[in-house]
């Protein structure tokens, strides 16, 4: 081998290995690593950006720094990652910890001081490089259930510091620390006609393929088809000792033995998450809450997770052809399932398909519609493909189809509110599908009300004149420094916007958990005076209705 070529190859492989194999990170928790959510897992409107560890389904176990570094970002929110921590390490990677119940001591003091300085629970902080250094093994936080978490767990990410791409920590750092000998589970495999002229088993509609279980694989009966078809799969992964139904790591399809389509959940950027609804069968998900991953692409799908897409994964069944289509599904530990699908050409007579109801929308064009006092408009490529939309305009109401097509850009809705419309300040444009009303931030200028949305459905003017509900739930005769003050707050229509608590007219910090509707103040912050104190809480909803609670409390 040419010496220079050998050196170049060695350097390239070493560079790849340094980027992909992270050997100098310890595990972030010292309890068994049971995966409740895998990297790239399909979530509502996004790919999961980290690995979730169940942490024995309880709050409070410590989280450790896997390597030396500095805290370079802290974000505290009632939503999303809740109490989140970002640590920049010396090896070119940043680790992220979400849904923490609390931070490690020195970090907690730093955050608490900043919250009191800004008089806000929600903060985003960027400490200077030397302010919060951490050493490998330091306790940097505690497992929790804050933000949008559905139960106690640690959300853990590894990011490339330079590109900010998220990497699969399970594959590149934690693989040897996790036990998994279980094969992925196949819930269903589906076949789609991809043109109006395509016929599959005498139909022009998608359907689930019956699978026959063999030793360590599945095989279907022969699919008879004519035209262009595509395949989809509903699958998940399991792990020894965990109840999680997790995402898979890699899927590869083969057509007559040649690699045809491949997706690997190894690394992606946050911008790519918007393509999840194009990647899955969105309409099927809206109907069933089950996700079919499409092993083919319609139009463009700039998703770096897709490594191979010969003919966009679409299979053309021509006259006289017998094809063999194979799907392989892998988890991170290379546990595997295989499905074989024989496909045979059959000369079906083309059946004319009825035209769908609604207005035909070319996804490459801009559109604007107006009727009554309502208008709606959107730019080209708002949809991922051509669609048929049912639209109905009424006074103060727009029915914009139903939520069965994914949307990637904002749709602009405008309503000109009548001069005599009551309570305009407390009125917003809301989505009113079903029994619940979804609030949208409404831009107002005089009688001109506007919102932006990425959801199809029913929109109308909604008025909220009810004040938030405030309940003091820890009403004792007397409190001590070790106690907490607890409120429950709720607004049933527009939702909570702001809250501020005071002791003796001095602002105090309340943690807010929207899931439990609780506000909690720790008296250990020492903002009280010994004896009688005046406690006040002010809560405002998103349209300006407010409630003020005030009461004397005794702290000894």
């Amino acid at each position: 081998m040419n010496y220079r070529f050998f050196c170049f190859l060695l350097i390239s492989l070493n560079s790849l290995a340094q980027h992909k194999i992270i050997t100098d990170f310890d595990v972030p928790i010292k309890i068994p690593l049971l995966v409740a959510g895998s990297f790239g897992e399909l979530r509502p409107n996004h790919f999961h950006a980290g690995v979730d560890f169940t942490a024995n389904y309880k709050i409070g176990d410590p989280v450790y720094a896997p390597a030396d570094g500095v805290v370079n970002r802290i974000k505290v929110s009632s939503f999303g990652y809740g109490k989140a921590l970002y640590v920049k390490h010396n090896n070119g990677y940043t680790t992220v910890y979400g849904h923490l119940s609390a931070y490690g001591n020195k970090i907690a003091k730093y955050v608490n001081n900043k919250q009191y300085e800004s008089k806000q629970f929600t903060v985003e902080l960027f400490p200077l490089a030397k302010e919060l250094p951490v050493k490998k093994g330091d306790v940097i936080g505690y497992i929790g259930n804050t933000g949008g978490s559905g139960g106690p767990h640690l959300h853990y990410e590894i990011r490339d510091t330079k590109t900010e791409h998220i990497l699969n920590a399970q594959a590149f750092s934690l693989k040897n620390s996790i036990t998994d000998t279980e094969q992925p589970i196949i819930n269903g495999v589906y076949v789609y006609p991809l043109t109006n002229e395509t016929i599959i088993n005498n139909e022009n509609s998608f359907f689930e393929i019956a699978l026959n279980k063999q030793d360590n694989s599945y095989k279907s009966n022969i699919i008879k088809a004519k035209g262009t078809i595509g395949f989809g799969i509903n699958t998940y992964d399991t792990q020894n000792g965990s109840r999680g139904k997790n995402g898979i790591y890699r899927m590869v399809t083969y057509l007559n033995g040649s690699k045809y389509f491949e997706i690997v959940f190894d690394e992606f950027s946050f911008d790519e998450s918007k393509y999840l609804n194009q990647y899955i069968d969105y309409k099927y998900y809206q109907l069933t809450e089950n996700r079919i991953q499409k092993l083919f692409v319609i139009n463009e799908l700039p998703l770096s997770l897709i490594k191979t897409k010969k003919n966009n994964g679409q299979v053309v069944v021509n006259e006289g052809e017998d094809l063999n289509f194979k799907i392989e599904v892998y988890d991170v530990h290379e546990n595997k399932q295989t499905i074989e699908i024989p496909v045979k050409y059959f000369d079906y007579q083309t059946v004319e398909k009825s035209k769908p109801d609604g207005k035909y929308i070319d996804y490459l064009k801009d559109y604007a519609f107006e009727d009554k006092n309502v208008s709606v408009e959107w730019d080209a490529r708002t949809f991922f493909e051509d669609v048929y939309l049912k639209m109905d305009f009424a006074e103060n109401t727009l029915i914009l189809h139903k939520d069965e097509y994914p949307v990637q850009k904002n749709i602009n809705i405008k309503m000109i509110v009548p001069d005599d419309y009551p309570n305009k300040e407390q009125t917003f444009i809301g989505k009113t599908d079903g029994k619940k009303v979804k609030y949208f931030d409404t831009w107002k200028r005089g009688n001109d009300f506007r919102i932006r949305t990425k959801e199809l459905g029913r929109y109308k003017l909604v008025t909220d004149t009810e004040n938030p509900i405030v309940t003091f739930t820890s009403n004792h005769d007397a409190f001590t420094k070790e106690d907490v003050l607890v409120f429950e707050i709720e607004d049933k229509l527009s939702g909570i916007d702001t809250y501020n608590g005071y002791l003796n007219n001095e602002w105090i910090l309340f943690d807010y958990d929207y899931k439990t509707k609780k506000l909690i103040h720790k008296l250990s912050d020492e903002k009280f005076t010994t004896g009688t104190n005046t406690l006040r809480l002010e809560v405002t909803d998103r349209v300006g209705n407010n409630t003020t609670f005030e009461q004397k409390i005794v702290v000894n």
Side-chain angles (χ1 to χ4, degrees):
M1 178 183 290
N2 181 282
Y3 177 74
R4 289 183 178 177
F5 176 75
F6 175 77
C7 290
F8 172 78
L9 180 63
L10 186 62
I11 291 170
S12 298
L13 289 174
N14 284 340
S15 175
L16 182 64
Q18 288 170 8
H19 184 64
K20 296 299 186 183
I21 307 300
I22 306 170
T23 59
D24 51 351
F25 275 178
D26 279 352
V27 293
I29 53 178
K30 295 183 179 179
I31 54 179
L33 298 183
L34 298 179
V35 178
S38 61
F39 178 86
E41 192 170 282
L42 313 180
R43 299 287 178 87
N45 299 315
H46 70 282
F47 296 102
H48 187 227
V51 182
D52 289 344
F53 297 110
T54 62
N56 294 328
Y57 302 99
K58 65 185 180 71
I59 291 171
D61 278 310
V63 178
Y64 302 90
D68 293 354
V70 294
V71 176
N72 68 334
R73 184 184 177 196
I74 303 166
K75 187 172 183 180
V76 181
S77 172
S78 301
F79 306 94
Y81 288 177
K83 293 183 178 179
L85 185 69
Y86 300 71
V87 179
K88 180 182 176 182
H89 301 280
N90 302 328
N91 59 1
Y93 297 100
T94 295
T95 52
V96 182
Y97 311 82
H99 310 301
L100 300 173
S101 59
Y103 297 106
N105 285 339
K106 62 181 179 180
I107 303 170
K109 290 178 182 177
Y110 175 88
V111 173
N112 188 266
N113 287 338
K114 295 295 185 181
Q115 288 173 313
Y116 271 100
E117 284 177 15
S118 63
K119 295 184 179 180
Q120 288 188 27
F121 166 66
T122 299
V123 292
E124 186 169 13
L125 309 170
F126 298 92
L128 299 176
K130 296 183 179 180
E131 280 191 281
L132 292 174
V134 297
K135 293 291 186 181
K136 179 184 281 192
D138 283 355
V139 175
I140 55 176
Y142 297 88
I143 290 168
N145 186 31
T146 57
S149 170
H153 73 278
L154 173 68
H155 174 93
Y156 178 64
E157 295 178 20
I158 297 179
R159 299 182 185 179
D160 183 304
T161 302
K162 185 176 181 180
T163 65
E164 295 189 348
H165 286 189
I166 321 103
L167 307 180
N168 189 330
Q170 206 174 336
F172 302 145
S173 175
L174 302 172
K175 185 174 180 178
N176 294 332
S177 302
I178 297 172
T179 301
D180 184 1
T181 60
E182 299 183 2
Q183 290 177 297
I185 304 297
I186 308 300
N187 269 346
V189 176
Y190 304 80
V191 60
Y192 292 78
L194 299 184
T195 71
N196 289 334
E197 294 75 31
T198 300
I199 305 295
I200 311 170
N201 287 4
N202 210 32
E203 298 286 341
N204 182 254
S205 58
F206 104 106
F207 62 88
E208 183 175 356
I209 300 171
L211 298 178
N212 304 306
K213 178 71 172 173
Q214 299 184 334
D215 291 337
N216 288 306
S217 63
Y218 294 90
K219 188 170 184 177
S220 77
N221 295 329
I222 294 173
I223 301 295
K224 295 180 179 179
K226 174 184 178 181
T228 304
I229 64 176
F231 293 90
I233 188 168
N234 182 345
T235 181
Y236 66 88
D237 188 39
T238 59
Q239 178 211 345
N240 305 60
S242 174
R243 301 197 297 266
K245 293 183 178 181
N246 305 320
I248 51 86
Y249 176 60
R250 181 164 70 101
M251 286 190 294
V252 190
T253 73
Y254 299 87
L255 185 63
N256 292 341
S258 296
K259 185 182 288 188
Y260 208 67
F261 185 94
E262 180 181 22
I263 184 166
V264 183
F265 292 90
D266 56 355
E267 174 183 350
F268 64 91
S269 70
F270 281 100
D271 287 344
E272 294 181 70
S273 261
K274 64 185 178 184
Y275 298 114
L276 175 130
N277 289 332
Q278 183 186 8
Y279 169 63
I280 66 170
D281 184 334
Y282 185 80
K283 183 176 182 179
Y284 184 84
Y285 170 65
Q286 292 297 102
L287 289 171
T288 68
E289 296 187 351
N290 291 308
R291 295 182 179 91
I292 297 174
Q293 301 181 59
K294 295 185 294 188
L295 303 175
F296 60 90
V297 173
I298 301 292
N299 300 327
E300 310 90 357
L301 179 54
L303 193 59
S304 67
L305 297 168
I306 298 175
K307 312 302 181 183
T308 304
K309 50 178 179 179
K310 187 175 180 181
N311 198 37
N312 276 340
Q314 301 180 22
V315 178
V316 181
V317 187
N318 292 315
E319 184 174 356
E321 286 188 327
D322 290 347
L323 306 175
N324 183 62
F325 192 82
K326 183 167 73 170
I327 306 170
E328 293 178 347
V329 183
Y330 297 86
D331 64 20
V332 166
H333 290 80
E334 294 296 307
N335 299 306
K336 172 185 173 184
Q337 288 279 21
T338 301
I339 305 107
E340 289 197 33
I341 306 168
V343 180
K344 185 179 180 65
Y345 175 85
F346 192 87
D347 191 16
Y348 289 110
Q349 294 297 312
T350 301
V351 178
E352 186 173 345
K353 196 171 184 179
S354 59
K355 182 180 176 181
D357 293 335
K359 181 173 181 58
Y360 170 73
I361 302 297
D362 182 337
Y363 85 106
L364 294 175
K365 293 182 178 180
D366 301 337
Y367 285 88
F369 302 95
E370 184 174 0
D371 195 6
K372 306 292 191 298
N373 65 324
V374 180
S375 63
V376 59
E377 62 181 34
W378 59 85
D379 294 337
R381 298 183 185 276
T382 292
F383 297 94
F384 292 105
E385 57 185 294
D386 296 348
V387 296
Y388 285 86
L389 294 184
K390 297 178 183 178
M391 289 181 282
D392 188 17
F393 294 80
E395 197 75 21
N396 308 326
T397 301
L398 168 67
I399 300 175
L400 185 59
H401 203 75
K402 58 183 178 180
D403 194 8
E404 64 178 14
Y405 297 127
V407 175
Q408 67 170 325
K409 293 184 180 180
N410 281 317
I411 295 172
N412 301 298
I413 298 175
K414 180 173 75 171
M415 297 186 183
I416 302 299
V417 180
D419 289 333
D420 58 352
Y421 200 88
N423 302 305
K424 287 183 186 176
E425 291 299 318
Q426 284 76 45
T427 298
F428 60 93
I429 299 175
K431 186 180 178 188
T432 59
D433 297 339
K435 295 181 180 179
K436 291 187 177 181
V437 174
K438 182 174 181 178
Y439 172 86
F440 280 82
D441 285 328
T442 303
W443 179 90
K444 302 177 184 179
R445 178 176 290 176
N447 292 342
D448 186 345
F449 283 28
R450 305 185 187 195
I451 65 167
R452 292 180 173 181
T453 179
K454 291 183 179 178
E455 300 175 20
L456 301 179
R458 180 187 180 94
Y459 292 87
K460 63 180 293 186
L461 292 179
V462 179
T463 301
D464 177 8
T465 58
E466 296 184 10
N467 293 334
I469 300 169
V470 177
T471 307
F472 187 40
T473 63
S474 55
N475 200 357
H476 307 316
D477 291 335
F479 296 87
T480 68
K481 178 181 174 180
E482 288 72 34
D483 288 329
V484 294
L485 305 178
V486 182
F487 284 90
E488 288 185 4
I489 61 174
E490 181 180 9
D491 190 85
K492 294 182 178 180
L493 200 51
S494 62
I496 300 295
D497 184 26
T498 63
Y499 59 88
N500 285 286
Y502 302 87
L503 271 179
N504 306 319
N505 292 322
E506 182 181 356
W507 187 89
I508 57 174
L509 175 65
F510 275 93
D511 280 24
Y512 178 43
D513 183 349
Y514 78 94
K515 301 186 297 296
T516 61
K517 306 173 185 176
K518 287 184 178 179
L519 286 174
I520 299 175
H521 170 71
K522 297 176 182 177
L523 288 169
S524 57
D525 285 354
E526 299 188 4
K527 301 298 180 182
F528 62 88
T529 58
T530 301
T532 301
N533 295 256
T534 300
L535 171 64
R536 186 170 86 255
L537 180 68
E538 299 171 353
V539 182
T540 305
D541 68 15
R542 287 167 165 167
V543 295
N545 301 306
N546 60 79
T547 298
T548 298
F549 171 94
E550 189 168 311
Q551 181 175 308
K552 302 289 185 182
I553 63 169
V554 175
V555 185
N556 296 323

